[in-house]
Amino acid sequence: MAEPLLAVSGLRAGYGDVQVLWGVDFAVHPGEIACLVGSNGAGKTTLLRALSGLLPPSEGSIRFAGGELAGASPERVLGAGIAHVPEGRRLFAAMSVRDNLLMGAYLRRDGAAALARDLERIYEVFPILAERRAQDAGTLSGGEQQMCAVARGLMSAPRLLLIDELSLGLAPAVVDQLSDALRALNREGLTLLVVEQDVATALELARDCHVMDSGRITRSAPSEALRNDPAIREAYLGVI
Amino acid sequence: QDTIRVGAPLPMTGPLSPEAVKQQRGYNLWAETANAAGGVKVGAKRMKVEIVYVDYQSNTPRAVQAAEKLITQDKVSFLFSPFGSGATKAASGVSEKYGVPTLAATASSAQVYDQGYKYLFGTFTPNDTLTEPLSDIVRKAAPGVHRVAILARNDLFPLAIAQEMEKSAKKRGMSVVYFEKYAIGTLDHASALTQIKAQAPHWIFATGYTNDLVLMRKQMADLKLEAPVITMIAAPAYQEWIDATGKLSENVTSAAWWHPAVRYKGKDLFGSTESFVKRFQAKYKTLPDYAEASAAAAGAILQMAIEKAGTIDPAKVRNALASFNETTFWGPVKFGPTGQIVSLEPPVFQIQGGKPTVIHPAAIRQGELRLGVK
Amino acid sequence: MSALLELAGVSRAFGGLRALSSVDLAVQRGEVVGLIGPNGAGKTTLVNVVTGVHRATSGRVRFDGEDVTRLRPYQAARRGIARTFQIVQPFSAMTVLENVTAAALFGGAARSIAEARAQAREQLAFVGLEQAADRRAGALTLAMRKRLELAKGLAMRPKLLLLDEVNAGLNAVEMDAALALIRGIAARGVTIVIIEHLMKVVLSLCSRIVVLHHGELIAAGKPSEIVKDARVVQAYLGRRYAEAQPAHG
Amino acid sequence: MLVLQVLANGLILGGLYACIAAGFSLVWGVLNIINILHGSFIVLGGYLAFFAYSIAGIHPFASILIAAPLFFALGYALQAGLINRMIAAPVLLTLSLTFGLDLMLANGMLVAFSADFRKIILDPPLGVLSVGPLVVPVDRLTAMILALALTGLLYLLLARSRIGRAIVAVRMDREAAALMGVNVKRIYAVTFGLGSLMAGASGALLAMIFPISPLVGPAYLGKAFVICVLGGLGSVPGAMIGGLALGVVESFGALWLGPEYAVPLSFTLLILVLIVRPSGLLGKRGYE
Amino acid sequence: MKRDALRAVAMFVLIALLPLAGDSYWLRLGTTMLMYGVLAISWNFIGGMAGYPSFASAAFFGLGAYAGAVAQKLGAPMGFAWALAGAAALVFAAALGVALLRLRGHYFAIASLVVAEVLRELVNAATDLTGGGMGLNLPIPRLASIEGQAMFFFYAMLALAALAFAAMLAAMHSRLGFGLRCIQQNESAADMLGVNTTLYKVAAFMLSGVFVGVAGAIYASWVHYIEPPDVFDVLYSVKAIVMVLIGGAGSVFGPLFGAALFLSLEELVWRNYLQVHTGVLGLLIVLLVLFLPKGLISLRRRTA
Ligand SMILES: Nc1ncnc2c1ncn2[C@@H]1O[C@H](COP(=O)(O)OP(=O)(O)OP(=O)(O)O)[C@@H](O)[C@H]1O
Ligand SMILES: Nc1ncnc2c1ncn2[C@@H]1O[C@H](COP(=O)(O)OP(=O)(O)OP(=O)(O)O)[C@@H](O)[C@H]1O
Ligand SMILES: [Mg+2]
Ligand SMILES: [Mg+2]
């Protein structure tokens, strides 16, 4: 197997006195879609925040494409090629959709033409955004906002895209669209790490899956294997 | 105890601080001169003087507080009033309460003195002693002047003198075609001046502090507002106003309670007016204006009263002041029943060639009234 | 018996955009109604209109026999309409307990702070948050905050509870617990309107489903009928869902 | 006729007001800081122009070019060194901070420059422009045009440039902006620098029109407050419109009600506008 | 609550003993301190509890001062004039609150700031009633000796401060205080929970006005001369806020501690640094904000 694109080891982080991550180890390989599942409060969001530099880790290492990113600023992390679509979307509410997308490309310096091309591509993947490009992002519906947030993340042309709560609040048809879009992007070489509560969808989408519990990765395995694992089924898939 | 402590609450910070500097110069000059001469003669001994300053931040109630602090904490025997009629009026209650003789160097409005207080004495004559001779001069030199426009700062002294001006003008049959107040802190006078211009007055009478009148004079020129007579009170008596308006100051008239061109033979420590001006210039490299001279005069008068009483007992010094009748470099000094000076004839002057030129009273006249201000 | 909530010709426009256009809807007492529709269909807007956050541009809303079209939110709350927010809105610097106490005190029937606190503890126990009672609401995870929203809603002793995506962000197992919870609420006699994109929730809880699309009601009926409705499949569920459906059911 | 002249007066005054308020509004809208120092910065800019002219003979219009970088650097340093430490604090704390700093600066200026009023007297004076019956002083007119130009430049910077978009993004969501790779602290410093630049530059312009002294800062600050609420916080076009509106309203208020009422009138107007449009005239994209 | 009340009683009794120790200067300081305390406590209702950054203190203060002074000028006895001033402030706060409290955050702050300016100019213009720019002299109460007067105003201010404090303590532990805290955290959510936000905010605003109004009237009688720029000075608003921040916003004793500390600083600096006293005060404020952003109260917590 190739060198991992992202390798995390011994990562610890928390908020003030509250330690949330207790030594996280896992790896994401180039060109794959990986997913991160875990029960409520396991620390998934915290992990993504630590990865993207929003929350400085207290210990551990984050190796990305050969460089060390633990303790780096969000600016450096993004520059290195990791974009983060945060929980709660966090769009710039009073900016137009288009300006939001352009903000995604804030660090890019490859010229207006490349930007315009990528913008067009985004509008193809998410036609609703094209329709609403001049509308303030704050007045979009929940699902539209989620699309805008993913699209904004893509605009930085990242190598690795972190998405927190991918399907949260999305209509079933949109989840399908979004999954399709992500797969397409993935085929073009984008690596993805997705946090997803709908474990069935996650397992379907991802090749590797990491299970998080109480601030640690307790299991990392191909999705195939997990899908048929009775313990996982009982803990995360449930029965109707 | 061998020093006489005199309290001086002053607005050293805040909008009135330029005035505080002037007061301080006058008081300091007096104290230095007196001390250099060995001090004030009190009966058989000589006592040095010490002035205790307190900043009241241009805030009148703070001035009251400062006066009380000076009397009760710093144990001063005498007080120089805070600046201006308003604060003087407010603080005079305190000195009255404690029975401390108080000299007001910058309070002219009659309302300050008619409260029936016994310990307050002021070196400025009432406001109408400025507007009356001014009106006479204008009437005589330019009989055609009969439309008067008045623009006053809504503040105790500027407003009071504007009201006197209105009376003086009406008394002489002139018509007041415009009378408005402007708020403290006004940044723009264009509207008022435009309206005045539409009235085509012969005489524009404006009051305010230095910055108000600098701005107003500049805006008059901007709007091409011209008139045979333009009077401004009291800023033109200050060099900084002349500096800040430059050529626009030419031919603006004003009146004040004193001018360095007056000539009196005083019995005070400064002696003649000339020697006072010389001393002042030696120390501060500039001519004294009326506010600076008044402060020094307050000191000189206090000194003479103490020497006459032969003690620093407040009641006795107070009586010496009440019966005071001497000539000083400031002029003849005699206080009326309310405590306000009644013996002065304030000079009227005009800026000519960038310098204040006295045009009244006749005894010290340096030039004639020139008409036309552009 | 008349309906508990009745919307007649309700429209709401934002500038040129018609987020709701003449919606007619009646919710009977004791019903559990599902409200679904694509993103941006106007579901949250409908909740906002009912609770007085936005005022209907036209049309009327009746609740419990009264016209509530022009009520302010607090008035609606006191008449027995409670809601949860899609984007959760806790008092983040207060503790969980205080959050629910506030709801019991101002929206509920509690006569004193002490009484409200006691009621709040009950509700926290009911939703399973009693362990977190003394934590700062801002430090809760998303799912816990949603449960907190639920507890707040319940503490108001509502007649009608509008749940705007309270189950989003839960994994399947957690969701099962949440479903049991909501069933328990319904069993107390509270009328419930559920907005949810998780078909599993809607299908298993609701006796009736209404579908909004572009601000208009396009379908209403039993769950089994709705999932087969061509327009609903086309606008909302997507073909894949429809294809997977038979295998599921 | 009278009305026309007063309108002209009001517009010219309003142009100057706009320039006073733009930087203040920006800092307030973006950094959520009510910068009490703004008034004193304007005064300091005035002194800079005054001394540049009286000592080195540099024309006030030219001294803007000196004031701009100097004040930008001053503001940048202040924000980066001091205010950034408090940035997450509630607005009243940063207000107290700038209040304290302002007391220091104002006191410092008082000691350094004394309280005397000074004014730049151009030699030769620029004179007045007569258009039919209207008279317009050239110095005010030029100052207003420069003021509006500066404000316009600021607007373009915010609307068009990459850094401008970053400023707007930071204003809306600090953390999300950081995720976009924006160095938030630097943007803060840049924004404060821009606000200071506008203050210094407008001070340099005003020194030619108004007498300056360390004591007039609060007057300018008060105007800035009113204008930026009239126009909507953080909005540069709002500041422009608010400034012009205030100038015109004050002028007509003085004409019709008497100069005494010019100021209360403008304040009353402000409150009315707020009650009718709680986020200012152009406040749609306002901060809160 | 009981413990706080007991402590407060002890504290006020201690303050009441001050005249035994000091001369009239100290009495004057004490009176000013209590006045500042009233300002700070009152601001806490709207600013600390409801979270609305009000700058209206100066407006209430000036209004109360002039209402009391004019009433006395027209012949009302002093006590009645004070009560009248309180009522005027209360009514004014209610009317103003209904209009202004629709505004949020900064906009509210500015609107409330401007109110004082408008009132000042109106009072300035109403020359016949208020004396306008010439100020207004109040009758000097000839009732007792100088010391007796000083004592009288000291105890009057003390009573007012105690009243304001009791009102704050009661409000904090009542439905009102709870509702206000909800409003502070998230107003629309509070609304949705059934809090009548308008009513609560206006009530808080009225509480923040009434005591300040009375304080203004007492102040006017005490200094027996007032003028518009003084009693409508925006610094009253700013100081109220700074004092609460110094003391620690939201705490029970914070406003009082803040007032005491602020006044001591102001007085010390004023006496000792003639030329630069405002600058030194500024420096102290900056240092306090930078190093004790949560106020003095946080010191105790830190050491505890
Ligand atoms: N700002 C904060 N301050 C203190 N504790 C926090 C904060 N944010 C999160 N936590 C705590 O950290 C732990 C992990 O939270 P996190 O949001 O990472 O979980 P998660 O796995 O993303 O959960 P969810 O599935 O609900 O999103 C939780 O116990 C939470 O209460
Ligand atoms: N305050 C507003 N101003 C302008 N447009 C708005 C506003 N609120 C909502 N909208 C628009 O109204 C439409 C309906 O929005 P709403 O939030 O009701 O959708 P929704 O059905 O709840 O969607 P979702 O399932 O994604 O939450 C959307 O297109 C949205 O952009
Ligand atoms: Mg999470
Ligand atoms: Mg919604």
Side-chain angles (χ1 to χ4, degrees):
Chain A
M1 198 176 247
E3 270 289 286
L5 179 63
L6 173 75
V8 176
S9 66
L11 196 68
R12 287 162 183 265
Y15 306 92
D17 300 338
V18 189
Q19 174 136 7
V20 176
L21 301 183
W22 296 87
V24 171
D25 306 280
F26 76 110
V28 176
H29 295 278
E32 75 161 337
I33 301 183
C35 85
L36 188 61
V37 302
S39 59
N40 191 246
K44 306 179 292 296
T45 298
T46 308
L47 174 57
L48 293 203
R49 288 169 62 83
L51 290 181
S52 63
L54 285 177
L55 186 70
S58 52
E59 255 180 71
S61 102
I62 302 170
R63 295 200 63 80
F64 179 73
E68 176 60 49
L69 287 181
S73 68
E75 189 185 353
R76 236 191 83 206
V77 173
L78 187 69
I82 303 183
H84 179 181
V85 179
E87 187 180 55
R89 295 151 194 157
R90 309 295 284 270
L91 294 178
F92 302 113
M95 265 193 208
S96 68
V97 169
R98 183 170 176 277
D99 282 348
N100 265 282
L101 298 182
L102 288 179
M103 269 317 290
Y106 180 73
L107 283 185
R108 277 174 64 177
R109 303 209 179 263
D110 49 358
L115 265 189
R117 206 182 51 234
D118 280 10
L119 214 50
E120 276 319 306
R121 170 118 178 73
I122 294 278
Y123 287 149
E124 265 166 46
V125 182
F126 304 105
I128 186 86
L129 294 183
E131 232 171 83
R132 305 222 182 262
R133 69 179 86 185
Q135 187 177 331
D136 283 2
T139 64
L140 296 179
S141 77
E144 292 161 355
Q145 290 192 11
Q146 179 74 330
M147 288 185 243
C148 188
V150 171
R152 187 178 66 178
L154 289 172
M155 279 304 286
S156 67
R159 295 174 67 183
L160 172 64
L161 184 65
L162 314 175
I163 305 179
D164 203 351
E165 305 285 6
L166 174 69
S167 73
L168 189 79
L170 295 190
V174 177
V175 178
D176 290 346
Q177 270 176 33
L178 204 56
S179 308
D180 289 346
L182 293 180
R183 277 198 198 91
L185 292 162
N186 173 250
R187 275 194 297 276
E188 288 170 23
L190 178 67
T191 309
L192 286 146
L193 174 62
V194 179
V195 171
E196 176 57 49
Q197 292 288 16
D198 181 354
V199 178
T201 302
L203 292 178
E204 196 180 309
L205 186 66
R207 192 187 76 193
D208 281 345
C209 196
H210 308 276
V211 180
M212 191 161 192
D213 190 14
S214 309
R216 290 192 180 80
I217 300 288
T218 51
R219 204 131 175 227
S220 295
S223 301
E224 210 58 43
L226 289 181
R227 203 172 348 216
N228 300 320
D229 183 324
I232 295 292
R233 286 192 74 97
E234 193 190 330
Y236 298 105
L237 291 172
V239 276
I240 297 183
Chain B
Q1 180 197 1
D2 49 4
T3 57
I4 303 174
R5 289 163 72 82
V6 185
L10 284 180
M12 288 185 262
T13 52
L16 294 176
S17 51
E19 307 292 347
V21 175
K22 294 181 187 302
Q23 302 282 287
Q24 223 171 355
R25 283 182 175 188
Y27 296 143
N28 286 344
L29 183 65
W30 164 65
E32 275 170 33
T33 313
N35 289 339
V40 177
K41 203 154 67 205
V42 185
K45 62 175 177 175
R46 285 197 168 262
M47 294 173 78
K48 301 260 176 182
V49 292
E50 182 195 342
I51 302 181
V52 187
Y53 291 107
V54 175
D55 174 23
Y56 67 83
Q57 299 164 309
S58 302
N59 167 319
T60 301
R62 257 273 189 217
V64 180
Q65 200 175 331
E68 184 154 21
K69 169 181 176 290
L70 284 165
I71 294 171
T72 61
Q73 289 276 293
D74 301 314
K75 309 284 182 210
V76 300
S77 314
F78 307 99
L79 213 57
F80 292 137
S81 271
F83 176 79
S85 295
T88 298
K89 185 180 178 189
S92 59
V94 175
S95 31
E96 192 69 16
K97 200 156 83 171
Y98 293 97
V100 175
T102 300
L103 278 131
T106 50
S108 62
S109 301
Q111 294 98 312
V112 177
Y113 299 96
D114 60 13
Q115 308 181 91
Y117 290 165
K118 297 208 316 252
Y119 283 85
L120 180 66
F121 299 89
T123 56
F124 281 1
T125 52
N127 293 328
D128 61 351
T129 60
L130 299 185
T131 59
E132 284 287 305
L134 193 61
S135 306
D136 280 335
I137 294 166
V138 171
R139 173 97 288 188
K140 209 163 96 222
V145 166
H146 57 85
R147 295 171 66 81
V148 183
I150 300 173
L151 183 56
R153 174 175 158 119
N154 189 4
D155 205 349
L156 182 51
F157 167 67
L159 186 56
I161 196 156
Q163 283 163 348
E164 290 305 331
M165 180 63 220
E166 190 181 20
K167 282 189 215 150
S168 297
K170 285 189 172 152
K171 210 155 76 184
R172 287 165 184 76
M174 305 183 201
S175 55
V176 176
V177 293
Y178 181 94
F179 189 118
E180 286 287 0
K181 299 173 269 183
Y182 62 89
I184 299 166
T186 298
L187 276 182
D188 185 66
H189 298 283
S191 288
L193 296 175
T194 304
Q195 224 174 347
I196 291 177
K197 188 179 174 194
Q199 295 288 346
H202 305 126
W203 187 0
I204 301 170
F205 185 92
T207 69
Y209 293 134
T210 307
N211 55 323
D212 300 319
L213 296 180
V214 168
L215 183 60
M216 202 184 289
R217 184 66 197 95
K218 170 75 169 46
Q219 288 204 279
M220 284 181 178
D222 286 348
L223 290 164
K224 292 196 172 161
L225 172 54
E226 296 162 1
V229 187
I230 294 180
T231 302
M232 294 189 154
I233 286 181
Y238 294 161
Q239 189 59 38
E240 51 181 285
W241 184 83
I242 300 174
D243 290 344
T245 48
K247 295 201 174 75
L248 295 177
S249 65
E250 196 63 15
N251 282 4
V252 172
T253 43
S254 187
W257 288 270
W258 184 86
H259 190 272
V262 302
R263 291 289 172 268
Y264 293 106
K265 288 238 163 315
K267 295 207 183 119
D268 58 303
L269 76 169
F270 294 111
S272 69
T273 309
E274 280 159 294
S275 75
F276 166 75
V277 172
K278 216 177 283 160
R279 272 178 193 277
F280 190 93
Q281 266 186 305
K283 186 160 162 63
Y284 300 115
K285 317 280 177 258
T286 156
L287 276 179
D289 58 40
Y290 72 91
E292 289 157 337
S294 179
I301 293 167
L302 177 65
Q303 179 176 1
M304 288 167 83
I306 294 172
E307 289 177 351
K308 199 172 118 196
T311 166
I312 59 168
D313 176 70
K316 297 208 171 104
V317 174
R318 185 257 151 204
N319 289 337
L321 282 166
S323 61
F324 200 89
N325 191 357
E326 303 278 359
T327 300
T328 67
F329 79 91
W330 173 252
V333 178
K334 183 172 166 24
F335 298 106
T338 64
Q340 188 166 20
I341 198 168
V342 290
S343 48
L344 268 188
E345 190 174 9
V348 175
F349 57 94
Q350 183 171 42
I351 311 298
Q352 295 180 358
K355 290 208 170 55
T357 308
V358 178
I359 53 176
H360 174 88
I364 52 169
R365 180 183 300 149
Q366 299 169 320
E368 294 295 328
L369 176 71
R370 291 183 196 160
L371 293 180
V373 184
K374 293 202 160 83
Chain C
M1 195 180 75
S2 71
L4 180 65
L5 177 71
E6 232 182 315
L7 279 70
V10 169
S11 301
R12 168 72 207 196
F14 295 107
L17 181 87
R18 280 173 80 86
L20 289 178
S21 61
S22 30
V23 173
D24 297 307
L25 175 68
V27 178
Q28 306 298 327
R29 281 170 214 276
E31 242 190 325
V32 179
V33 177
L35 178 58
I36 62 172
N39 294 117
K43 304 180 294 294
T44 300
T45 307
L46 190 141
V47 172
N48 282 335
V49 166
V50 170
T51 51
V53 175
H54 293 324
R55 196 163 276 178
T57 323
S58 67
R60 293 169 18 109
V61 184
R62 291 179 68 77
F63 176 73
D64 209 6
E66 274 182 286
D67 190 327
V68 298
T69 320
R70 310 187 72 80
L71 290 191
R72 294 254 322 265
Y74 80 93
Q75 293 167 319
R78 290 184 185 176
R79 277 182 174 60
I81 306 178
R83 73 172 294 181
T84 64
F85 285 93
Q86 180 173 2
I87 314 283
V88 289
Q89 308 241 344
F91 304 120
S92 22
M94 290 189 184
T95 65
V96 169
L97 180 64
E98 282 175 312
N99 265 274
V100 186
T101 305
L105 187 63
F106 295 106
R111 279 182 307 273
S112 70
I113 296 183
E115 190 184 329
R117 199 171 289 134
Q119 291 178 5
R121 282 199 193 282
E122 265 171 50
Q123 301 305 348
L124 283 178
F126 182 69
V127 302
L129 270 184
E130 68 266 67
Q131 310 275 284
D134 295 323
R135 289 177 68 184
R136 228 171 31 85
L140 296 185
T141 63
L142 187 68
M144 289 167 100
R145 276 186 248 173
K146 298 219 157 181
R147 261 184 288 160
L148 172 60
E149 287 282 305
L150 213 52
K152 273 160 70 179
L154 287 176
M156 292 163 68
R157 301 265 163 99
K159 295 182 187 136
L160 173 67
L161 187 57
L162 302 160
L163 302 176
D164 197 352
E165 304 200 16
V166 268
N167 296 300
L170 301 186
N171 68 36
V173 174
E174 292 160 344
M175 205 182 303
D176 287 337
L179 293 185
L181 197 60
I182 295 171
R183 278 197 200 97
I185 297 171
R188 292 174 170 190
V190 179
T191 308
I192 299 177
V193 175
I194 298 182
I195 296 175
E196 205 68 75
H197 288 299
L198 304 161
M199 289 312 287
K200 173 176 157 184
V201 174
V202 184
L203 294 178
S204 70
L205 284 177
C206 302
S207 49
R208 194 157 67 91
I209 293 180
V210 291
V211 187
L212 268 181
H213 184 37
H214 287 316
E216 291 175 50
L217 271 188
I218 57 165
K222 290 217 180 69
S224 53
E225 297 161 16
I226 292 295
V227 293
K228 296 201 187 82
D229 186 301
R231 272 187 306 174
V232 178
V233 169
Q234 211 264 328
Y236 181 64
L237 294 172
R239 227 173 320 121
R240 194 180 312 176
Y241 185 90
E243 282 159 11
Q245 202 50 35
H248 235 275
Chain D
M1 172 45 232
L2 189 64
V3 170
L4 269 186
Q5 179 69 52
V6 170
L7 182 67
N9 297 343
L11 284 175
I12 290 181
L13 184 65
L16 299 175
Y17 281 176
C19 193
I20 293 179
F24 182 69
S25 182
L26 179 72
V27 168
W28 191 349
V30 176
L31 308 186
N32 199 16
I33 291 176
I34 302 181
N35 180 18
I36 304 283
L37 273 167
H38 195 77
S40 293
F41 275 179
I42 292 177
V43 173
L44 199 59
Y47 275 109
L48 185 84
F50 178 83
F51 288 118
Y53 187 66
S54 57
I55 294 171
I58 300 170
H59 196 282
F61 292 150
S63 64
I64 292 182
L65 296 178
I66 310 172
L70 227 53
F71 276 86
F72 181 83
L74 176 67
Y76 190 100
L78 198 60
Q79 177 74 29
L82 206 59
I83 306 178
N84 261 343
R85 301 178 44 155
M86 301 297 305
I87 200 60
V91 61
L92 287 176
L93 267 189
T94 48
L95 179 129
S96 303
L97 182 63
T98 57
F99 172 68
L101 289 170
D102 184 56
L103 285 179
M104 293 166 67
L105 179 58
N107 201 168
M109 288 198 294
L110 196 62
V111 171
F113 305 134
S114 89
D116 290 352
F117 282 94
R118 310 187 202 207
K119 190 168 169 310
I120 296 178
I121 317 251
L122 286 181
D123 191 29
L126 294 179
V128 296
L129 201 68
S130 296
V131 192
L134 288 185
V135 281
V136 180
V138 175
D139 53 2
R140 276 197 178 219
L141 186 67
T142 336
M144 168 195 145
I145 292 171
L146 283 177
L148 287 183
L150 265 177
T151 317
L153 277 179
L154 181 67
Y155 175 72
L156 283 183
L157 181 82
L158 289 183
R160 295 289 156 77
S161 74
R162 189 169 151 273
I163 197 133
R165 207 176 299 117
I167 289 175
V168 177
V170 167
R171 161 183 158 192
M172 289 175 197
D173 188 332
R174 195 180 306 164
E175 193 172 78
L179 273 183
M180 302 299 110
V182 176
N183 183 334
V184 175
K185 292 212 157 172
R186 201 168 69 221
I187 289 294
Y188 276 163
V190 167
T191 308
F192 203 86
L194 283 174
S196 310
L197 179 155
M198 290 299 289
S202 49
L205 285 174
L206 294 178
M208 215 170 44
I209 315 271
F210 299 116
I212 49 168
S213 109
L215 314 169
V216 296
Y220 294 133
L221 185 66
K223 298 283 178 211
F225 262 118
V226 172
I227 294 159
C228 104
V229 175
L230 270 178
L233 287 189
S235 152
V236 174
M240 188 118 62
I241 294 197
L244 290 172
L246 185 69
V248 171
V249 166
E250 279 190 2
S251 295
F252 280 99
L255 177 67
W256 286 326
L257 300 176
E260 198 185 350
Y261 291 99
V263 177
L265 179 79
S266 61
F267 284 147
T268 312
L269 175 86
L270 164 82
I271 293 184
L272 289 182
V273 166
L274 277 181
I275 288 173
V276 181
R277 287 203 55 129
S279 48
L281 287 174
L282 290 193
K284 180 175 150 282
R285 295 186 171 214
Y287 186 69
E288 271 178 334
Chain E
M1 165 156 193
K2 265 225 186 82
R3 220 181 41 199
D4 282 346
L6 281 179
R7 275 192 207 157
V9 168
M11 185 183 62
F12 277 107
V13 167
L14 263 181
I15 301 177
L17 296 178
L18 180 83
L20 296 183
D23 56 9
S24 69
Y25 172 76
W26 281 103
L27 216 50
R28 182 177 272 280
L29 268 191
T31 315
T32 311
M33 195 272 277
L34 289 165
M35 185 176 95
Y36 278 10
V38 172
L39 284 172
I41 291 171
S42 296
W43 184 84
N44 206 31
F45 284 111
I46 187 75
M49 293 164 80
Y52 270 69
S54 165
F55 282 82
S57 310
F60 296 134
F61 189 81
L63 183 77
Y66 266 97
V70 169
Q72 272 180 270
K73 191 182 122 184
L74 299 178
M78 192 159 69
F80 180 72
W82 292 356
L84 205 71
L90 200 67
V91 172
F92 182 69
L96 193 68
V98 171
L100 291 192
L101 288 162
R102 304 167 15 141
L103 306 174
R104 301 257 169 115
H106 297 333
Y107 287 100
F108 172 79
I110 297 313
S112 65
L113 181 79
V114 160
V115 172
E117 308 274 324
V118 174
L119 282 185
R120 186 184 67 206
E121 293 305 327
L122 290 182
V123 166
N124 225 339
T127 315
D128 294 338
L129 201 59
T130 62
M134 308 206 202
L136 191 57
N137 271 71
L138 280 93
I140 298 182
R142 302 254 173 220
L143 40 104
S145 64
I146 294 161
E147 290 73 29
Q149 280 179 40
M151 204 90 90
F152 172 74
F153 287 112
F154 174 80
Y155 283 113
M157 214 55 108
L158 180 72
L160 183 67
L163 208 63
F165 188 87
M168 178 178 75
L169 205 57
M172 270 190 167
H173 293 90
S174 74
R175 219 179 152 88
L176 175 66
F178 203 141
L180 290 177
R181 265 171 67 215
C182 293
I183 290 174
Q184 179 195 32
Q185 300 264 309
N186 185 334
E187 188 165 338
S188 51
D191 201 354
M192 211 66 72
L193 285 188
V195 181
N196 184 344
T197 50
T198 311
L199 183 73
Y200 276 55
K201 287 186 297 183
V202 171
F205 203 47
M206 288 166 74
L207 280 171
S208 86
V210 59
F211 301 111
V212 177
V214 178
I218 297 182
Y219 170 84
S221 302
W222 178 40
V223 300
H224 47 78
Y225 172 84
I226 53 171
E227 54 182 13
D230 162 45
V231 290
F232 289 109
D233 190 347
V234 64
L235 276 181
Y236 284 118
S237 303
V238 177
K239 278 179 189 171
I241 297 171
V242 172
M243 288 184 292
V244 173
L245 291 180
I246 288 180
S251 63
V252 183
F253 289 94
L256 271 182
F257 282 144
L261 181 73
F262 185 82
L263 181 76
S264 319
L265 286 182
E266 203 181 44
E267 195 65 21
L268 266 179
V269 172
W270 183 53
R271 292 167 65 92
N272 294 322
Y273 304 91
L274 204 54
Q275 289 298 320
V276 291
H277 66 88
T278 51
V280 174
L281 186 63
L283 181 66
L284 287 174
I285 291 177
V286 169
L287 293 179
L288 272 173
V289 169
L290 285 179
F291 295 110
L292 270 186
K294 295 233 166 79
L296 283 184
I297 296 290
S298 63
L299 268 188
R300 203 179 55 184
R301 274 190 218 123
R302 215 178 288 168
T303 51

